[in-house]
Structure formats: structure tokens, C-alpha cells
């Protein structure tokens, strides 16, 4: 028997996130700077609505930087984040003759970003891609961190890969056309970041939302700064735990970003993904996790109140009064993030400090009480 050890030196990767107003036109320059003169082609992946709104400056910038451009437009909505779309995209890549140093540019929300990123991850075993996110959720969350993938009919994000983008270009002006509910969903994810990882970020976010509510308009500068703070937060967590290690249960592990997702996913599942935007379901999920934390004696009632106020500032959430806590709790067992069949809860000790708790430590009556309280509110 001969034994050899293979030791890989994982390459150090870093990438730039650019945030500002009217920066769509600079995508070409940034892609060229990153890929150098040998890169010839760029393919923009988007959907019809977003491409009609924002495609032009991106195309012009890429052309001005001497790229040969193509585009592939997918349909609207989560169901297009599928293996069928993936097949179409990689087939198009090969028909176009995309090479190892050519660029995929994802222009759109998280659906486009996850799909385009995954196509870039698997085509030729990985080619460069750039995220140009146009929803609030994608700007503060999905475009940073390198998780890519598609859904299967039986569940979301079940097939995917870690593949970091080579650059992220965030044009905050694109949020002007975003429907109100999409904004609410994004604000909820911002509250989540603060709640689990940074009291200061939580305060910065709630101050912004309060000012926005009062004035109905907040200077764009404040928004750029806020989005930058959230990207920095997410990047910090990802840099410390890129692949969401199962061994980690500490406060800086990537898993803490799943706060609110356990009940959130269950709510989405029992309403067949038709009632909630994901971030809206996470809004309720955070309240439920907060309630559990309080009932366990981990979190002070005054801290839970801060969380409740913050979620209220995000905007109205869909009704839940007709839902039954039993069906939601039975949907928890099918959570993809469970380990050895057990749900791992992300709970709070205070705003800004999370704790990972094993599902065994939470009795069924406590769980029922927490979910009931949140549904009836
Ligand atoms: N990779 C990650 O780390 C990560 C993290 C969180 C979520 N996600 C994924 O992100 C997806 C959700 O992303 P999303 O919330 O951005 O949804 P989405 O991509 O479906 O976009 C929401 C809607 O907004 C429209 N839209 C996008 N930008 C617009 C604009 N500027 N103006 C007007 N309309 C616009 C889209 O056409 C779509 O109808 C889910 O599939 C989720 O799994 C991934």
C-alpha cells in the first residue's frame, strides 16, 4: 500500500465591490481591468424587464471596452432558476465559443445572479463572472459571497457551487424602479445582518429606515453608505468562513446569516412559495426566533421589542393570521439546513450577538407558543 498526501495551496482571491449612482456605464471598464486584454467576449445574463430598464448602459460600456457582446434573457421569477435554464445558458456559452477568460455579467436580482454564477462556475469548470445586482436583496446579500445555484422541483438551492465573482458593481439608482415589496424584503435582510452580527449596523439601518419613513426621501448618499456597510459586513463573515463550515458554531460563522430562515422557509413552504417574498418570510422568521430566544431566557424582552420595531419599519408584511402553527412546525423537519436530521437554530443573546442552539434544547410546547405568538400578531 502506498500513501501520498495531496496538499493544495488555495489561491488567495479578492474582488472589488463598487457602489454608487450611475455606475452601470463603468461595468465595461471594470471587467476589462480585471480580465486584461486577452478577454474577448462578454455575455450579459438578465431577464426581459431588467434588461429593458438597464441593459443599454451596460452594453455600451462593454462595447467601449472592446468586448464582443451577447445576451441571454431568462423569464421572470424563481422558477427560472432551474436546471433547464442552466442547460440553455451553458449551451449558448459553448455555441458562442466562450473561452476561459471571457466574462459572464449577471444583471438583475438574486435569481439571475445565482443562475448566471452557477453557469459560470460549471462551464469549462469555471469562468469569470461579475455581479451587477439590481434588487436591494441582491445588492446587500446574494451578489457577495460566491454562493451560486439552481432549484430542483423538490426544493430551493439544492444544486449549486461556491464560485466567487471577479467583481460586483452596485448601481443604487436601479432601486428607483423596484416594487415596494422587493424593497421591504431587502430591508428585512438588512435587519437580519445587524441583529446577528453588529449592533452598530442594526442602529445605522433602523436610523435610515426611520428617516426614510418621515421624509419619504433620503439622500442617495445615505443609501450608498448603508449598502456599503452591509456588503462589508457580509464580506467579513464570508472571508472568515467561505463554505459555511458545519463544524463552526461560533458567533462569526457564516451560519448565523440563516437567522430567521428556519421558520421563514417553513412559512414559504406551507404557502407554496406564493404568498411571501423570501425576505418577508424571514421577517416573520426573525420574530419567531426572537420569541424563542426570549422564552429560553436568552434575550431580554426590551431587546425583542427593538427587533419588532425594526421589522415594522421595513414595511407591511403579508398576513399570517390564517396559518396554523402545527403545519409550520411540521415543515421544519424538512429544512435543508438541518444536520443529522436536527434543526439548528440561530437565536439571539442581544441585538448584535447571535447564538447557535441545537434543536433538542427547544421543547415542542415552547416552539408552539413562539410560533403562535408571531402568527397571531
Ligand atoms: N447566493 C446567495 O448568497 C443568496 C442569498 C440570498 C438570496 N439568494 C437567492 O436570491 C433569489 C431572490 O433574489 P431577489 O429577491 O433579488 O429576487 P428576483 O431576482 O426574483 O427579483 C425580484 C423581482 O424584481 C425584478 N427586478 C429586479 N431588479 C429590478 C429593478 N431594478 N427594477 C424593477 N424590477 C426589478 C425582477 O424582475 C423580479 O421580478 C432567490 O432565488 C434566493 O435563493 C441567494
Amino acid at each position: 500500500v502506498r500513501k501520498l498526501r495531496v496538499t493544495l495551496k488555495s489561491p488567495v482571491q479578492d474582488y472589488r465591490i463598487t457602489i454608487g449612482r450611475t455606475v452601470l456605464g463603468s461595468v465595461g471598464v471594470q471587467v476589462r481591468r480585471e480580465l486584461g486584454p486577452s478577454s474577448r467576449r462578454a455575455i450579459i445574463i438578465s431577464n426581459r424587464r431588467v434588461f429593458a430598464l438597464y441593459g443599454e448602459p451596460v452594453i455600451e460600456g462593454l462595447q467601449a471596452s472592446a468586448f464582443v457582446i451577447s445576451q441571454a434573457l431568462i423569464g421572470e421569477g424563481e422558477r427560472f432558476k432551474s436546471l433547464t435554464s442552466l442547460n440553455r445558458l451553458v449551451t449558448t456559452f459553448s455555441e458562442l465559443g466562450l473561452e476561459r477568460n471571457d466574462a459572464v455579467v449577471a444583471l438583475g436580482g438574486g435569481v439571475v445572479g445565482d443562475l448566471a454564477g452557477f453557469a459560470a462556475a460549471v462551464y469549462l469548470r469555471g469562468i469569470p463572472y461579475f455581479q451587477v445586482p439590481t434588487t436591494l436583496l441582491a445588492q446587500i446579500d446574494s451578489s457577495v459571497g460566491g454562493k451560486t445555484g439552481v432549484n430542483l422541483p423538490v426544493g430551493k438551492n439544492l444544486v449549486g457551487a461556491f464560485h466567487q465573482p471577479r467583481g460586483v458593481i452596485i448601481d443604487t439608482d436601479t432601486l428607483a424602479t423596484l416594487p415596494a415589496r422587493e424593497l421591504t424584503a431587502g430591508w428585512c435582510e438588512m435587519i437580519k445582518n445587524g441583529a446577528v452580527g453588529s449592533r452598530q449596523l442594526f442602529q445605522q439601518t433602523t436610523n435610515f429606515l426611520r428617516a426614510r419613513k418621515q421624509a419619504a426621501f433620503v439622500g442617495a448618499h445615505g443609501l450608498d453608505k448603508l449598502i456599503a456597510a452591509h456588503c462589508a459586513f457580509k464580506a467579513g463573515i464570508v472571508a472568515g468562513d467561505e463554505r459555511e463550515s458545519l463544524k463552526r458554531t461560533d458567533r462569526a460563522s457564516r451560519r448565523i446569516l440563516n437567522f430567521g430562515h428556519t421558520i421563514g422557509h417553513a412559512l414559504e413552504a406551507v404557502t407554496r412559495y406564493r404568498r411571501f417574498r423570501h425576505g418577508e418570510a424571514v421577517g416573520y422568521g426573525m420574530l419567531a426566533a426572537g420569541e424563542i430566544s426570549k422564552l429560553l431566557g436568552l434575550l431580554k424582552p426590551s431587546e425583542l421589542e427593538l427587533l419588532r420595531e425594526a421589522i415594522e419599519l421595513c414595511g407591511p408584511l403579508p398576513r399570517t393570521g390564517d396559518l396554523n402553527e402545527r403545519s409550520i412546525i411540521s415543515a421544519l423537519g424538512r429544512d435543508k439546513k438541518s444536520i443529522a436530521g436536527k434543526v439548528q437554530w440561530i437565536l439571539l443573546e442581544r441585538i448584535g450577538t447571535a447564538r447557535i442552539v441545537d434543536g433538542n434544547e427547544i421543547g415542542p410546547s415552547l416552539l408552539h407558543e413562539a410560533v403562535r405568538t408571531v402568527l397571531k400578531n
Side-chain angles (χ1 to χ4, degrees), residues 73-357:
L73 304 185
I74 61 161
E76 177 113 2
E78 189 71 38
R79 71 197 164 91
F80 288 95
K81 208 177 103 177
S82 65
L83 286 171
T84 310
S85 302
L86 175 74
N87 189 358
R88 250 197 61 211
L89 287 184
V90 291
T91 305
T92 306
F93 293 0
S94 73
E95 283 166 2
L96 290 167
L98 242 60
E99 294 176 0
R100 285 289 299 277
N101 199 31
D102 288 338
V104 170
V105 176
L107 174 68
V111 164
V112 162
D114 281 12
L115 171 69
F118 189 42
V122 294
Y123 178 70
L124 302 181
R125 299 198 184 88
I127 64 172
Y129 80 111
F130 294 80
Q131 293 275 16
V132 187
T134 61
T135 64
L136 184 58
L137 176 121
Q139 295 187 349
I140 59 130
D141 189 354
S142 61
S143 65
V144 178
K147 280 191 186 176
T148 72
V150 297
N151 305 323
L152 292 182
V154 292
K156 280 182 62 175
N157 299 325
L158 291 181
V159 176
F162 288 96
H163 185 48
Q164 298 293 340
R166 295 284 290 270
V168 182
I169 299 117
I170 298 175
D171 191 325
T172 52
D173 278 351
T174 59
L175 300 178
T177 52
L178 197 65
R181 284 187 64 188
E182 302 295 342
L183 278 175
T184 299
W187 302 132
C188 283
E189 297 278 359
M190 283 190 170
I191 296 300
K192 178 201 75 179
N193 285 346
V196 293
S198 162
R199 202 172 180 91
Q200 194 266 329
L201 186 59
F202 184 89
Q203 270 157 357
Q204 187 184 351
T205 309
T206 50
N207 288 344
F208 180 89
L209 290 175
R210 256 184 229 110
R212 179 176 176 270
K213 197 171 164 189
Q214 277 158 11
F217 173 79
V218 185
H221 179 64
L223 182 58
D224 289 2
K225 203 168 146 197
L226 184 65
I227 289 176
H230 280 274
C231 288
F233 171 76
K234 172 117 194 230
I237 297 268
V238 170
D241 181 16
E242 185 193 356
R243 304 214 159 199
E244 200 169 325
S245 161
L246 294 180
K247 288 191 212 117
R248 300 258 311 251
T249 53
D250 59 280
R251 289 180 180 145
S253 51
R254 189 164 183 175
R255 277 162 68 197
I256 65 167
L257 299 178
N258 295 324
F259 177 55
H261 284 56
T262 310
I263 294 285
H265 281 145
L267 277 171
E268 290 180 278
V270 300
T271 53
R272 294 168 189 274
Y273 295 91
R274 290 196 189 127
R275 187 180 300 185
F276 298 95
R277 296 296 303 140
H278 174 66
E280 294 173 333
V282 168
Y284 280 114
M286 290 191 283
L287 289 172
E291 199 66 40
I292 295 170
S293 312
K294 185 190 84 178
L295 293 172
L296 285 173
L298 283 176
L299 184 71
K300 282 197 210 138
S302 57
E303 293 284 287
L304 179 57
E305 200 43 44
L306 288 178
L307 181 67
R308 199 174 288 135
E309 278 167 23
I311 293 168
E312 212 170 288
L313 283 169
C314 295
L317 296 179
R319 74 201 150 85
T320 50
D322 59 325
L323 300 176
N324 156 320
E325 75 259 17
R326 268 190 216 105
S327 61
I328 291 166
I329 290 167
S330 67
L332 291 179
R334 299 187 288 275
D335 195 308
K336 166 175 73 114
K337 303 260 162 145
S338 56
I339 298 171
K342 272 184 282 174
V343 176
Q344 302 273 311
W345 289 88
I346 316 299
L347 300 180
L348 293 185
E349 290 178 5
R350 63 197 289 271
I351 297 292
T353 310
R355 187 198 287 193
I356 301 181
V357 173

